[in-house]
Amino acid sequence: MNYEQDLNDHFGLDEVVVNNFERDGYGIFRKVFQPETLEHFSPLIREATDKSLQTFVPMEERSAYDQAFIQEMNLWRRYEDILPLVFSKKLARMAAELLRVDGVRLYHDQALTKEKRGGKTPWHCDQYYWPLSTDRMVTVWIPLVDVPFERGPLSFMPQSQRTDFGRHLDISDAAEAEIFAHPQWNSELIDEQPFALGDVSYHFGWTFHGAHPNNTDLDRPVFTIIYFADGACLVEPVTEGQRGDQVKWLPDSIINEPITSKLNPLLWQRK
Ligand SMILES: O=C(O)CCC(=O)C(=O)O
């Protein structure tokens, strides 16, 4: 199978899997892609992120956020050869089926490199940053290499999308300390599993997730795509994070109207 077929064929999700996702707030899916498909994109993404990787300050001088990863966003807009990964029908259909919606739009993509010896990803929820009228939002996390425990795989707190604490918190050491101190937090429940090349995870915007440091001498490159239910509206931003996201990802959308911008294309729709 060539990479285009692999990107666009169907990965079946049965009702039990979708129910488990709804209950737990995340799911890890094995062998979604052939390793060769990701090996095709990996050097292209590396090239696109190389400049920001070269220009970063030494690890010990950075904030917890900047030690966690180097980000390069919305590559689909600038790199024609990366666009097919972002527009993968297989991934978008999985997102729609897990969200139980009839169509999904792109919020944005991002390349995330946790550098060799890079820091932990503080525990957080993504939806804090998203000024949308829906919680039907999901991120697919696609490692571009094998990620054993020592390389910092993404970990999840099962069912944390159902709690109502920590929703005003950004990604920082202080926010993480507040999450850990909460009586509802139980670190024994954390689900941390290694990923092989070709495995991906999905998590809701309100699911708490984090990652251990990368204790190896190899970078941990990852690509992510964020989807939202077609029909969702832009809402008035209520946090600093949401104000920043409105400017970056929704600059031409109108408050309280459905988002239909070409910056947020419809990536999959039920026929
Ligand atoms: O890759 C990581 O360590 C963090 C990723 C993350 O927080 C996300 O994709 O929402």
Side-chain angles (χ1 to χ4, degrees):
M1 196 191 310
N2 67 32
Y3 75 84
E4 273 156 352
Q5 289 167 323
D6 195 20
L7 289 174
N8 295 308
D9 72 356
H10 178 44
F11 187 89
L13 296 174
D14 64 30
E15 198 51 26
V16 174
V17 169
V18 177
N19 285 342
N20 289 348
F21 183 83
E22 182 76 34
R23 182 195 62 206
D24 294 337
Y26 71 95
I28 299 175
F29 302 91
R30 306 290 178 190
K31 295 189 191 305
V32 170
F33 290 124
Q34 301 172 159
E36 296 76 21
T37 299
L38 298 173
E39 281 159 7
H40 168 82
F41 288 102
S42 196
L44 305 174
I45 294 168
R46 174 79 208 188
E47 207 179 310
T49 50
D50 226 22
K51 201 156 154 240
S52 20
L53 285 170
Q54 306 279 333
T55 53
F56 233 83
V57 295
M59 202 59 79
E60 56 283 3
E61 290 170 28
R62 302 186 203 169
S63 66
Y65 189 102
D66 290 336
Q67 286 185 19
F69 37 67
I70 307 287
Q71 289 168 288
E72 194 66 49
M73 308 219 189
N74 255 3
L75 299 183
W76 73 279
R77 304 259 302 146
R78 282 169 288 145
Y79 300 95
E80 232 178 280
D81 47 7
I82 297 175
L83 182 143
L85 175 60
V86 181
F87 280 51
S88 158
K89 285 201 175 51
K90 181 193 278 180
L91 292 178
R93 179 171 179 179
M94 286 174 78
E97 291 183 354
L98 292 169
L99 290 172
R100 295 187 203 272
V101 298
D102 289 333
V104 286
R105 287 183 177 271
L106 175 66
Y107 188 49
H108 65 79
D109 69 48
Q110 66 180 319
L112 284 176
T113 308
K114 192 182 280 301
E115 296 153 282
K116 53 187 172 195
R117 305 281 155 196
K120 68 175 182 190
T121 303
W123 282 82
H124 67 279
C125 304
D126 302 325
Q127 191 108 13
Y128 160 84
Y129 291 94
W130 299 339
L132 274 83
S133 62
T134 184
D135 63 359
R136 296 283 104 183
M137 292 190 72
V138 77
T139 301
V140 61
W141 191 82
I142 314 160
L144 301 171
V145 288
D146 288 339
V147 187
F149 288 118
E150 61 275 17
R151 217 170 180 180
L154 199 61
S155 329
F156 307 92
M157 176 57 88
Q159 305 191 17
S160 52
Q161 82 283 7
R162 295 167 189 276
T163 59
D164 58 2
F165 72 93
R167 300 200 162 189
H168 61 295
L169 297 171
D170 61 1
I171 304 181
S172 63
D173 274 340
E176 186 182 68
E178 203 171 311
I179 293 166
F180 287 176
H182 196 277
Q184 277 180 47
W185 185 260
N186 179 354
S187 53
E188 282 172 21
L189 300 178
I190 289 172
D191 186 3
E192 182 183 28
Q193 299 184 35
F195 285 68
L197 186 61
D199 300 344
V200 308
S201 64
Y202 283 77
H203 60 271
F204 278 127
W206 283 125
T207 305
F208 281 113
H209 54 285
H212 278 123
N214 179 359
N215 289 324
T216 74
D217 290 320
L218 296 166
D219 287 347
R220 191 218 63 178
V222 164
F223 196 73
T224 75
I225 305 165
I226 305 168
Y227 307 88
F228 63 91
D230 184 33
C233 298
L234 167 66
V235 294
E236 188 72 58
V238 292
T239 65
E240 223 22 72
Q242 290 182 7
R243 268 183 281 280
D245 263 34
Q246 180 190 1
V247 173
K248 275 188 284 189
W249 315 125
L250 304 156
D252 56 356
S253 291
I254 298 166
I255 291 187
N256 295 332
E257 288 194 12
I259 299 163
T260 55
S261 165
K262 68 175 186 351
L263 300 174
N264 309 102
L266 190 59
L267 294 184
W268 190 80
Q269 189 172 35
R270 199 177 303 282
K271 295 213 174 77

